[in-house]
Amino acid sequence: QFIEKTLANDFDINISTSSRLAEISQSRLTKNLTFIHAGIERQLQTDELLIAESLSPNLDLGLSNAVVNYTDVGISINQYLQTTNQRIFAAGDILSTSKLDHSATIEAETAIRNLTKHRMRSVNYNGLMETIPLIYPAIKIGQSEADCHQNNIKFQSTTALFSELPRQIIAPPVKGILKLIISSQQQL
């Protein structure tokens, strides 16, 4: 709710989650949107529309000819990034496994190592950032408040706007929110 309020107040951006699109049309100066939210049909006129959706991999690569198994969500791999064709490795957005947004580089490095070395290893995702998909992406590193509650970790949290941080004095202005969660052992 804090993020939605900040986007609405600071950027005049309204978020409507769990909505179903009914119709989009365009008049001379505006784009017209009809959607259903909480069972109520709503209409909106705007200059521009931003509709967010998840990425889907391009699988039109002749994978069947190479005897590589895949589904609509991506290529199937084992723990070493090896496909069902043992001579082919895969990394990045084309994988069917759930992964972090910034994992393609480490997956590529691991796949190349596994392709060229005798002793294979699996990908170590520890310490990689997780991007939370929003209009302005949020970055998560480490445990969330929910994780701390679930694991019975005592913690404190604080939230600040980037505009309130000292960084703004020496760097170009950045809009966003920073939230720190610190355990009683002083760990982020």
Side-chain angles (χ1 to χ4, degrees):
Q1 290 177 348
F2 177 77
I3 292 173
E4 287 184 31
K5 285 181 184 177
T6 300
L7 291 173
N9 294 338
D10 294 355
F11 303 101
D12 197 27
I13 295 173
N14 296 310
I15 298 175
S16 179
T17 59
S18 302
S19 299
R20 187 173 58 84
L21 182 62
E23 180 182 344
I24 297 176
S25 62
Q26 185 171 348
S27 63
R28 185 179 164 172
L29 299 175
T30 63
K31 292 172 176 76
N32 308 302
L33 177 70
T34 303
F35 64 98
I36 299 169
H37 179 76
I40 300 170
E41 185 174 289
R42 301 170 192 243
Q43 297 179 339
L44 177 70
Q45 288 186 329
T46 183
D47 296 330
E48 291 298 330
L49 292 174
L50 172 65
I51 301 173
E53 61 181 338
S54 61
L55 294 174
S56 58
N58 178 4
L59 297 167
D60 186 19
L61 303 169
L63 296 171
S64 296
N65 295 337
V67 193
V68 173
N69 290 351
Y70 64 96
T71 65
D72 291 342
V73 295
I75 294 175
S76 303
I77 57 165
N78 66 15
Q79 68 188 34
Y80 304 113
L81 303 171
Q82 197 171 31
T83 68
T84 49
N85 180 333
Q86 293 187 353
R87 297 179 308 180
I88 299 176
F89 292 76
D93 291 339
I94 201 160
L95 300 181
S96 63
T97 57
S98 62
K99 60 197 172 313
L100 306 174
D101 290 346
H102 303 284
S103 62
T105 302
I106 194 165
E107 289 168 352
E109 289 172 357
T110 303
I112 291 168
R113 182 184 185 283
N114 289 345
L115 180 66
T116 59
K117 304 285 183 189
H118 295 291
R119 189 167 175 235
M120 291 199 278
R121 67 176 183 182
S122 59
V123 179
N124 181 357
Y125 293 102
N126 293 333
L128 287 182
M129 294 184 294
E130 177 182 356
T131 302
I132 301 166
L134 301 168
I135 291 173
Y136 290 99
I139 303 297
K140 174 187 169 238
I141 301 175
Q143 297 190 23
S144 66
E145 287 185 18
D147 295 332
C148 291
H149 284 298
Q150 184 177 359
N151 296 317
N152 295 320
I153 298 172
K154 293 181 182 179
F155 68 93
Q156 293 181 338
S157 68
T158 186
T159 306
L161 297 174
F162 277 130
S163 59
E164 299 171 344
L165 300 175
R167 174 190 190 283
Q168 299 295 81
I169 298 170
I170 59 170
V174 175
K175 293 183 179 181
I177 301 164
L178 174 67
K179 181 173 190 176
L180 292 177
I181 300 170
I182 302 169
S183 74
S184 57
Q185 287 81 30
Q186 302 299 309
Q187 294 176 330
L188 288 177

